[in-house]
Amino acid sequence: MTDIRPSLTAQAKAMGIKLTPRQGEQFQTYFEMLLAWNEKMNLTAITDPEEVVEKHFLDSLTLLLACPVKEGAKVIDVGTGAGFPGVPLKILRPDVQLTLLDSLNKRLVFLGEVLTALDLSGERIHKRAEEAGLDKKLRESFDLAVARAVAGLPVLCEYCLPLVKMKGTFAAMKGPGAQEELEQASHALEVLGGTDVQVRSFTLPTAGERNILLVRKTKFTPKGYPRHGSTIAKHPL
């Protein structure tokens, strides 16, 4: 199995992120488990070691450059999939209280094995995002809700903003075209309580432009949201 640690450590350092040897080991274990499990279930289409380093690990770590995450913050990774960006965030910041949310239980089984192997804690919740937003234990209880490559921004706002507490942050991790999505989502942001928006841009070595939209929650989300999943998809705000 390829040793990704030298490449990952060097590229992270170039971004301004210093990895300890222990963190390098954790990323190596995560990489090996990702490829091994990917042979029996669909976790990622990206399997080339250098592409995993850049498009999954480094891409996830841009979140820490874009968004100040306070000590002990409650963070939910919405539609976490194979654990991005939640698990890389937890490797760098083991102090955060991480919740991994996904609609597919077998992905959460994989992530449970990963967290155990990396000696990290994290809650895994098997729900659709719109169900989580209506759950009284989860609604408006997170300092940071993050989603990466899940849906268009108007839809994503309705999935994520109900989970964010007042004055908390919703971080949407996007590629190029983020400004256009932001314009399309202006109504959704207004309705759902996220009016203060900042855009942080990064360039990955070969994958190119990445944008993280940071939405600060300034009003409580009205009771009728999130709506049913099919309604959200057919009639985005």
Side-chain angles (χ1 to χ4, degrees):
M1 184 69 76
T2 305
D3 186 353
I4 63 164
R5 286 172 291 183
S7 174
L8 175 63
T9 303
Q11 291 189 70
K13 186 178 179 182
M15 288 168 54
I17 295 173
K18 187 180 179 189
L19 297 182
T20 65
R22 167 73 178 140
Q23 290 165 340
E25 285 173 20
Q26 288 173 308
F27 274 111
Q28 179 69 27
T29 300
Y30 188 11
F31 165 70
E32 291 176 7
M33 292 181 74
L34 178 69
L35 265 57
W37 280 66
N38 202 53
E39 290 182 2
K40 52 188 176 182
M41 59 184 282
N42 182 26
L43 287 168
T44 177
I46 297 168
T47 55
D48 174 78
E50 277 304 314
E51 286 197 65
V52 172
V53 165
E54 183 178 349
K55 294 180 180 176
H56 284 327
F57 295 163
L58 296 176
D59 185 50
S60 294
L61 294 181
T62 59
L63 179 65
L64 282 171
L65 300 175
C67 181
V69 181
K70 70 178 186 181
E71 185 81 18
K74 286 186 70 179
V75 179
I76 185 165
D77 183 357
V78 177
T80 184
F84 307 116
V87 175
L89 172 66
K90 183 75 176 177
I91 291 172
L92 266 290
R93 290 286 305 275
D95 62 284
V96 302
Q97 300 175 61
L98 178 65
T99 298
L100 300 168
L101 178 74
D102 205 87
S103 61
L104 202 61
N105 195 54
K106 60 183 180 179
R107 290 193 198 117
L108 295 171
V109 171
F110 161 71
L111 291 170
E113 295 289 326
V114 168
L115 290 173
T116 299
L118 303 187
D119 195 24
L120 295 173
S121 62
E123 186 176 4
R124 294 165 295 134
I125 296 180
H126 178 216
K127 281 182 187 288
R128 298 182 68 83
E130 65 273 19
E131 295 169 345
L134 297 172
D135 186 325
K136 288 178 183 174
K137 286 184 281 189
L138 301 173
R139 185 179 179 88
E140 295 187 322
S141 67
F142 292 92
D143 299 297
L144 173 65
V146 58
R148 175 180 176 266
V150 173
L153 192 59
V155 170
L156 213 49
C157 287
E158 193 162 352
Y159 285 159
C160 295
L161 275 169
L163 295 162
V164 179
K165 64 169 64 167
M166 180 63 77
K167 296 185 180 175
T169 302
F170 158 44
M173 303 182 73
K174 295 285 183 181
Q179 202 62 47
E180 189 181 327
E181 282 199 54
L182 195 51
E183 288 164 18
Q184 293 168 351
S186 59
H187 178 62
L189 289 164
E190 178 64 38
V191 168
L192 299 165
T195 50
D196 183 1
V197 185
Q198 295 178 318
V199 181
R200 298 277 189 269
S201 299
F202 302 91
T203 303
L204 295 176
T206 61
E209 184 185 344
R210 292 289 186 270
N211 292 286
I212 300 181
L213 308 176
L214 299 176
V215 180
R216 191 162 178 265
K217 189 154 180 180
T218 53
K219 296 184 295 185
F220 290 111
T221 301
K223 275 188 178 172
Y225 301 96
R227 299 166 295 165
H228 190 275
S230 60
T231 306
I232 296 172
K234 286 178 189 169
H235 305 288
L237 287 171

